[in-house]
């Protein structure tokens, strides 16, 4: 393993060779410390949030990085997009829990939060203030990308019926009442060399 200076030098060398006409995938196979899986198409939700945003926001042929992740530095080349068989959605939510079986109070609060969200108040601010979902509240309610069947049924149905930019709810599930903001939907899959 190289120190950070060695990594920076190695990545600069790879970039220079690519800019001189070398094949990125061949260099990745020669230089990478982890296996190169350039034949695999990745769906939304299979990559880290940072890598997903970078790769799905690029075009085929784009060279991306270097990018630091927990396992090291990555330099990637987007090879190809295709339409996949499953649609994925990117959503945020605010979860209002039902305390002491008082669903009337919880529904009232959920409707009040929904009204604030629809009036233009920051969804992220509302999520941090009201949401009882510990894994997403600190991330502005962001759940990332997911495919059908990954969330509880009432939530899943509401999210997949919504249009991008739409705020829907309150949706009752076993966890409480959800206010859902749909950011995007996409069925693309991406293949890249890393």
């Amino acid at each position: 393993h190289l120190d950070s200076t060695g990594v920076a030098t190695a990545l600069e060398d790879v970039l220079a060779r690519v800019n001189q006409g070398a094949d990125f995938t061949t260099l990745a196979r020669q230089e990478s410390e982890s296996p190169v899986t350039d034949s695999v198409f990745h769906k939304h939700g299979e990559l880290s949030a940072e890598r997903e945003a970078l790769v799905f926001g690029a075009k085929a042929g784009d060279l991306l990085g270097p990018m630091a992740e927990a396992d090291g530095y990555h330099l990637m080349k987007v090879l190809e997009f295709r339409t996949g068989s499953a649609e994925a959605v990117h959503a945020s939510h605010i979860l209002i829990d039902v305390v002491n079986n008082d669903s009337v109070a919880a529904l009232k609060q959920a409707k009040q939060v929904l009204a604030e969200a629809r009036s233009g108040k920051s969804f992220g601010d509302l999520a941090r203030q009201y949401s009882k979902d510990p894994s997403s509240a600190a991330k502005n309610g962001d759940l990332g990308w997911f495919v059908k069947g990954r969330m509880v049924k009432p939530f899943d149905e509401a999210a997949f019926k919504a249009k991008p930019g739409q705020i829907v709810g309150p949706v009752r599930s076993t966890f409480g009442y959800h206010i859902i903001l749909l950011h995007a939907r996409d069925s693309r899959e991406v293949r890249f060399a890393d």
Side-chain angles (χ1 to χ4, degrees), residues 9-66:
T9 302
L11 291 174
E12 286 172 14
D13 177 59
V14 169
L15 280 171
R17 288 163 41 192
V18 168
N19 288 332
Q20 293 168 357
D23 179 66
F24 184 89
T25 305
T26 302
L27 288 175
R29 286 195 178 100
Q30 293 169 353
E31 304 293 334
S32 182
E33 292 183 6
S34 60
V36 175
T37 55
D38 61 308
S39 63
V40 176
F41 277 89
H42 298 273
K43 297 176 172 78
H44 281 288
E46 294 180 345
L47 306 170
S48 71
E50 297 80 16
R51 189 183 296 205
E52 173 146 0
L54 191 64
V55 171
F56 277 95
K59 300 183 301 297
D62 285 356
L63 198 58
L64 308 171

Side-chain angles (χ1 to χ4, degrees), residues 27-181:
L27 288 175
R29 286 195 178 100
Q30 293 169 353
E31 304 293 334
S32 182
E33 292 183 6
S34 60
V36 175
T37 55
D38 61 308
S39 63
V40 176
F41 277 89
H42 298 273
K43 297 176 172 78
H44 281 288
E46 294 180 345
L47 306 170
S48 71
E50 297 80 16
R51 189 183 296 205
E52 173 146 0
L54 191 64
V55 171
F56 277 95
K59 300 183 301 297
D62 285 356
L63 198 58
L64 308 171
M67 166 184 195
E69 288 205 322
D71 62 344
Y73 288 88
H74 295 264
L75 188 60
M76 299 167 284
K77 182 171 185 178
V78 178
L79 302 173
E80 175 183 9
F81 286 95
R82 73 177 183 193
T83 301
S85 59
E87 183 176 50
V89 295
H90 177 202
S92 293
H93 82 138
I94 300 167
L95 173 64
I96 306 298
D97 60 353
V98 178
V99 180
N100 297 325
N101 284 332
D102 191 351
S103 60
V104 172
L107 180 57
K108 182 180 178 182
Q109 184 182 25
K111 286 180 178 180
Q112 176 252 322
V113 172
L114 174 63
E116 288 185 51
R118 285 185 172 160
S119 73
K121 188 157 184 188
S122 164
F123 197 90
D125 289 348
L126 291 169
R128 287 191 309 278
Q129 182 178 354
Y130 293 109
S131 187
K132 300 302 178 193
D133 178 354
S135 64
S136 70
K139 299 184 293 185
N140 298 322
D142 194 348
L143 296 167
W145 287 89
F146 53 92
V147 294
K148 274 189 180 175
R150 186 163 151 230
M151 302 295 182
V152 292
K153 188 173 181 172
F155 184 99
D156 206 54
E157 288 174 352
F160 278 89
K161 284 180 186 171
K163 295 181 175 107
Q166 187 176 12
I167 299 172
V168 297
V171 175
R172 179 74 194 256
S173 80
T174 54
F175 297 101
Y177 289 96
H178 305 266
I179 310 301
I180 305 166
L181 168 60

